[in-house]
Amino acid sequence: MRTIFALTILFSFNLLFSGEKAPQSIVDLAHSKLSTIGTDQIIADAVNEQNAKSISLAQIKKQDEEWKSTPGLADFMKEIMVSKCGKHLAEIQKSTSYFAEIFVMDNQGANVAMTDKTSDYWQGDEDKFTESYKNGKGAIHISEVEFDDSAQAYLVQVSVPVKDKGKVIGAITFGIDIDKVEK
């Protein structure tokens, strides 16, 4: 009986916060610090390098299927975590407690670098990419607050364009633990 009661309370608590708009502190963070990270040259260089490969969408989707069907971290996943850009993202993540995850996407929404394994390789059909890349126009996209089971925290995903010399070339998404951002 206690277990059922505890689960009911936990479920109700999740419903209270999941789906809410991000607090103003997150919006302010997106328009300041996070937008600036989107212009970081190490990140831009990695995106430019991947974009230059001209990988077809069919190849990306094939990689996405393999990614989703592979448990744990395969070598091809680790490669983008230990790349120069992946290590740089890890340093950015360590610099501030509110970063739960960070990942970078090319101009088609395919992963370029990441701090933690994403649920899929291709983000190109998701708002985090389509709304922040905006067909090369760029914009800031802020998700609703959601409970993340793996992080055991309430997160907001903030996505900003990756720019090189003012041109939008990809996107970067930050998983932000809302309880660790100063209000």
Side-chain angles (χ1 to χ4, degrees):
M1 187 68 163
R2 287 183 188 165
T3 303
I4 293 171
F5 179 72
L7 288 173
T8 302
I9 289 187
L10 180 63
F11 180 73
S12 299
F13 188 72
N14 282 341
L15 289 177
L16 285 175
F17 291 100
S18 289
E20 283 189 10
K21 277 182 70 174
Q24 187 62 42
S25 58
I26 302 290
V27 174
D28 295 342
L29 181 66
H31 287 275
S32 58
K33 181 178 182 174
L34 303 183
S35 289
T36 302
I37 295 172
T39 63
D40 180 285
Q41 198 59 53
I42 293 172
I43 295 168
D45 288 347
V47 173
N48 278 325
E49 185 179 319
Q50 180 140 329
N51 287 345
K53 293 177 184 175
S54 298
I55 302 168
S56 73
L57 187 55
Q59 290 171 298
I60 290 170
K61 287 183 176 182
K62 183 179 179 193
Q63 180 76 26
D64 188 51
E65 288 305 314
E66 183 179 357
W67 187 283
K68 291 188 285 189
S69 66
T70 303
L73 278 171
D75 288 343
F76 67 93
M77 297 169 186
K78 291 177 188 173
E79 281 180 31
I80 66 174
M81 293 176 78
V82 299
S83 66
K84 180 179 180 181
C85 186
K87 289 177 182 177
H88 185 58
L89 294 179
E91 289 301 315
I92 293 170
Q93 183 183 33
K94 288 179 198 168
S95 73
T96 310
S97 66
Y98 53 73
F99 288 131
E101 67 176 345
I102 307 171
F103 55 96
V104 175
M105 299 152 279
D106 67 9
N107 61 5
Q108 296 185 82
N111 285 353
V112 173
M114 62 186 184
T115 57
D116 303 272
K117 181 184 177 185
T118 56
S119 58
D120 51 1
Y121 173 72
W122 184 54
Q123 318 298 324
D125 60 344
E126 299 176 36
D127 288 346
K128 68 184 85 167
F129 174 75
T130 60
E131 295 298 316
S132 60
Y133 182 69
K134 223 36 159 190
N135 292 317
K137 294 179 188 120
I140 293 173
H141 175 72
I142 302 171
S143 74
E144 293 181 334
V145 177
E146 297 289 336
F147 187 76
D148 185 285
D149 287 324
S150 61
Q152 289 296 298
Y154 287 93
L155 302 183
V156 170
Q157 285 191 329
V158 176
S159 301
V160 301
V162 172
K163 296 180 181 179
D164 188 25
K165 299 176 184 82
K167 180 182 177 195
V168 176
I169 60 170
I172 183 170
T173 296
F174 304 87
I176 307 292
D177 183 333
I178 65 169
D179 292 328
K180 294 184 179 177
V181 175
E182 291 182 29
K183 311 271 189 264

